[in-house]
Amino acid sequence: MKLILASSSPRRIELLKEAGFDFEVRVSAADENAVCAKDADKLALMRARLKAESVADELLMYGEEFIVLGADTVVERSGEIFPKPANERDAIGMLKRLSDGDHNVFTGVCLVSSDNRTEERAVCTAVSFGAFDLGRIEAYVKSGKAFGKAGAYGIQDEELSFLIKKTDGARDNVIGLPVATVTEMLKEKSKWRQWK
């Protein structure tokens, strides 16, 4: 049985590789922006399911056994959802609003198997940011690392380490994939050992 990652995210690919999983990558053609929800955890789950189901539908024609892993990460503070930034000004504005306080990072994980079973979970990590520093934030944004990431930041980026005060929960969840949760979900499948 194949494990398929429905994402081209280099961070998710790296996390799965570091965990020792054997998998293939197939990028979902689904438009995640077509999905709307008020709650960040529900939005992350809906987007993860959309990606996983899109790839699973494509694979069904080949008649092979598979499990597709879809994931989506959403950043939320006080009810405001922070998507991927559209430009430098957008990224700086997001980081300014996230500074000096706590926010939540939700990653929705969805498994869709060739026998039409679906399992999903949302994982939350709380992140605390320190004071906003315009010069350092602008330098970070100009490096290009703020783009393609919900909330306009990567917790693993050294240039932003000055802003991160603490995290409560799985750090890899903030990066984009809660590996322990994925492992647990796959362990519940009878053939999970073929993937590690």
Side-chain angles (χ1 to χ4, degrees):
M1 183 178 287
K2 292 180 180 179
L3 176 62
I4 310 292
L5 175 64
S7 173
S8 61
S9 164
R11 295 166 295 281
R12 292 190 181 114
I13 291 169
E14 183 178 358
L15 286 168
L16 274 185
K17 283 182 177 177
E18 287 176 353
F21 284 98
D22 182 21
F23 63 98
E24 295 178 12
V25 173
R26 287 196 180 233
V27 182
S28 168
D31 179 11
E32 64 183 50
N33 295 316
V35 176
C36 296
K38 289 184 179 179
D39 298 325
D41 56 342
K42 291 179 182 175
L43 180 61
L45 282 173
M46 290 169 68
R47 288 179 173 175
R49 188 185 321 126
L50 179 69
K51 295 173 185 178
E53 288 177 345
S54 170
V55 171
D57 287 345
E58 294 174 12
L59 292 171
L60 281 172
M61 68 181 72
Y62 299 109
E64 297 178 347
E65 291 188 334
F66 61 80
I67 285 191
V68 177
L69 166 59
D72 190 79
T73 302
V74 174
V75 174
E76 175 269 335
R77 181 178 183 182
S78 302
E80 180 182 2
I81 291 175
F82 293 75
K84 298 170 185 174
N87 50 47
E88 288 187 2
R89 183 179 177 183
D90 193 24
I92 291 169
M94 285 185 191
L95 291 170
K96 185 174 184 178
R97 295 196 306 281
L98 289 171
S99 296
D100 273 331
D102 301 334
H103 63 272
N104 293 312
V105 180
F106 294 91
T107 297
V109 176
C110 180
L111 299 178
V112 177
S113 58
S114 49
D115 60 1
N116 231 5
R117 287 183 296 173
T118 300
E119 184 178 348
E120 57 189 21
R121 295 182 195 173
V123 178
C124 179
T125 300
V127 181
S128 179
F129 271 10
F132 182 77
D133 183 321
L134 180 58
R136 295 169 89 175
I137 292 293
E138 285 181 337
Y140 174 71
V141 170
K142 285 188 183 301
S143 76
K145 292 185 177 181
F147 299 99
K149 298 170 182 172
Y153 78 94
I155 198 169
Q156 71 278 14
D157 295 336
E158 289 184 15
E159 300 91 335
L160 206 68
S161 60
F162 75 92
L163 191 60
I164 298 160
K165 289 172 61 177
K166 67 177 181 177
T167 59
D168 183 8
R171 186 175 183 273
D172 58 5
N173 184 58
V174 184
I175 297 172
L177 193 69
V179 175
T181 299
V182 171
T183 301
E184 184 181 329
M185 291 169 74
L186 289 172
K187 277 183 177 179
E188 295 170 5
K189 305 294 184 183
S190 60
K191 297 182 180 180
W192 79 276
R193 293 183 187 275
Q194 296 181 14
W195 304 319
K196 275 194 107 172

